[in-house]
Amino acid sequence: CFKGSLNSTIGSRSVNVDLQANDNQEKWSIKCTNAGALLRGLDMYNSMRAGNLTLDMVTSRKEIKPGYIIPIHQGNFVFDRFVLHNAKMLTRLVSLISLPGLLDLMTGKSDITFQKMSGNFSFRNGVLSVEDSYASGPYFDFSLKGVIDTKSKMMDINGHVNPKLDGVGSVIGSIPIISRLFIGDKKHQGLVSKSYRLHEKY
């Protein structure tokens, strides 16, 4: 197969898959308006609800072996307007970095809405490598990079968390240079940011 498309629905939402290929590579483009349902249906992640997903991947036909998942040389993803339900990792992340007040804000909230998350990745020999991933949420933004071994169920990820500062944050947020200095952004850690690392089973 060198070209194809699939259009389907999940309830009232859509899933569109397009494939373009040459001798050695395949280019996949996936768009879904119910990202949470798609991930649950694929048995990949159960805590996401709703959201729009745009996923582009370049895979290798040359290296595929029977019984193995096709290697992904490069990919990028964008999630828009999604909800994380009972996400234990977020609570653990906030506890780990001990950001004052954030844990209190999140306590009792089973659903946390995020405006956007995007990043780049590759997948080879059962290892997912994530680079330049960044998420924007109501209480904090965070960056993420590292590796996740899907065979051993071990993750080694790190990044930094930029808290949303009510009052003060709205003032300094209006001054780009000062905002980056204090709060940070996708590529820079701010003065009130905290670094984290998670190296454990999932």
Side-chain angles (χ1 to χ4, degrees):
C1 180
F2 286 87
K3 184 177 181 180
S5 63
L6 181 149
N7 299 302
S8 186
T9 59
I10 301 176
S12 61
R13 305 291 182 164
S14 64
V15 182
N16 308 108
V17 181
D18 288 298
L19 165 67
Q20 300 286 335
N22 56 34
D23 289 338
N24 295 320
Q25 289 185 331
E26 295 177 345
K27 294 183 179 180
W28 293 83
S29 178
I30 301 172
K31 295 183 179 181
C32 179
T33 56
N34 191 340
L38 179 63
L39 294 179
R40 290 195 303 276
L42 296 173
D43 197 27
M44 295 177 66
Y45 189 66
N46 294 320
S47 294
M48 184 177 288
R49 301 290 185 269
N52 299 315
L53 167 65
T54 301
L55 177 65
D56 295 302
M57 301 180 294
V58 175
T59 64
S60 171
R61 287 188 165 209
K62 188 176 181 180
E63 299 177 49
I64 188 63
K65 298 178 182 179
Y68 286 81
I69 297 175
I70 189 168
I72 301 172
H73 282 182
Q74 61 186 44
N76 58 77
F77 62 87
V78 178
F79 291 98
D80 284 310
R81 297 186 301 277
F82 62 95
V83 176
L84 293 184
H85 177 74
N86 288 331
K88 295 180 180 179
M89 180 181 168
L90 283 183
T91 304
R92 170 148 171 66
L93 182 61
V94 173
S95 300
L96 185 70
I97 60 179
S98 302
L99 285 173
L102 276 185
L103 195 58
D104 291 337
L105 282 172
M106 292 176 60
T107 301
K109 297 182 183 298
S110 59
D111 292 340
I112 299 177
T113 302
F114 281 83
Q115 289 79 39
K116 186 174 183 178
M117 182 173 186
S118 61
N120 303 312
F121 70 96
S122 61
F123 185 84
R124 184 185 296 271
N125 298 323
V127 177
L128 176 66
S129 300
V130 181
E131 291 288 342
D132 302 323
S133 179
Y134 192 80
S136 178
Y139 306 118
F140 58 88
D141 303 337
F142 69 92
S143 65
L144 183 152
K145 65 179 180 179
V147 296
I148 300 173
D149 191 325
T150 61
K151 294 179 181 178
S152 64
K153 300 292 184 181
M154 177 66 73
M155 63 178 174
D156 187 0
I157 59 175
N158 64 85
H160 58 268
V161 178
N162 304 322
K164 297 292 181 68
L165 303 178
D166 294 335
V168 175
S170 62
V171 174
I172 64 178
S174 63
I175 309 172
I177 295 177
I178 303 300
S179 175
R180 193 176 83 174
L181 177 64
F182 277 87
I183 304 176
D185 58 18
K186 292 182 180 180
K187 297 182 179 180
H188 303 89
Q189 181 175 342
L191 294 177
V192 295
S193 301
K194 292 280 188 174
S195 298
Y196 73 89
R197 183 187 181 195
L198 293 174
H199 181 62
E200 59 188 48
K201 292 272 190 177
Y202 67 92

